[in-house]
Amino acid sequence: MNRVVLGAFAALLMVGLGLFWLQGRAEVEEAAPPPAPAIAGPAADELPEADISGLRGPAPPEVTELTREEQRFNRYDRNRDSRISRNEMLSTRTSAFRALDKDGNNLLTFEEWAVTTATRFAGLDVNGDGILSREEFARGAPTPRPSSTPACRC
């Protein structure tokens, strides 16, 4: 019997607290300020107007000359966080790797490398004597990019 009376008392107490809470909340809402009136904007067919005399926009950014090392670093730093991760460093070599990987299984075997190297050697050996002279070897050097032509950075 004590449990029933104690349960009923607890239930009445909870209901009473709930009523006080709701009444307190209603009073706060009644004392709240009214919403601000909506500002009427220009009609849909009118263009907005502003007085811009005397105003000045921000200055254009300064162009700085990057050193050769900074340019080289920026070629590897793809996400521009001033750090080069292993993936960023290796990403520039993927096209060369895919050219060597003839069967496309993402594994470079010695045979694939040897065939490519032997083919390149045969292309450089003009007289076919099996030995590269200095002139023949120099023909295989990569062609330097012209430095007088500015690179487009559009």
Side-chain angles (χ1 to χ4, degrees):
M1 171 105 167
N2 279 340
R3 286 185 180 180
V4 173
V5 172
L6 188 59
F9 179 71
L12 287 174
L13 183 64
M14 296 285 254
V15 169
L17 286 174
L19 287 175
F20 283 121
W21 180 71
L22 285 175
Q23 286 177 352
R25 205 167 161 199
E27 289 176 12
V28 171
E29 289 177 0
E30 286 175 6
I39 299 172
D45 57 344
E46 292 181 24
L47 294 175
E49 295 180 11
D51 182 22
I52 58 169
S53 61
L55 294 179
R56 190 169 169 86
E62 295 281 330
V63 177
T64 59
E65 282 295 319
L66 297 177
T67 65
R68 192 173 196 162
E69 279 303 307
E70 289 172 331
Q71 290 175 353
R72 193 169 142 251
F73 185 87
N74 288 340
R75 275 196 301 268
Y76 288 105
D77 187 18
R78 300 287 182 172
N79 59 0
R80 298 293 184 247
D81 64 348
S82 296
R83 299 182 313 176
I84 299 174
S85 67
R86 182 176 187 270
N87 287 341
E88 287 174 327
M89 186 72 163
L90 295 176
S91 69
T92 59
R93 305 290 183 207
T94 55
S95 59
F97 179 84
R98 288 197 177 112
L100 291 175
D101 185 23
K102 297 298 181 188
D103 57 3
N105 63 352
N106 285 337
L107 297 173
L108 185 62
T109 62
F110 177 77
E111 289 79 18
E112 290 171 329
W113 176 81
V115 167
T116 304
T117 305
T119 305
R120 185 169 182 219
F121 183 88
L124 293 176
D125 188 18
V126 177
N127 58 7
D129 63 353
I131 299 172
L132 292 179
S133 66
R134 288 188 182 275
E135 292 80 23
E136 290 173 331
F137 183 76
R139 283 187 43 219
T143 57
R145 294 192 309 179
S147 60
S148 62
T149 309
C152 178
R153 297 185 188 265
C154 300

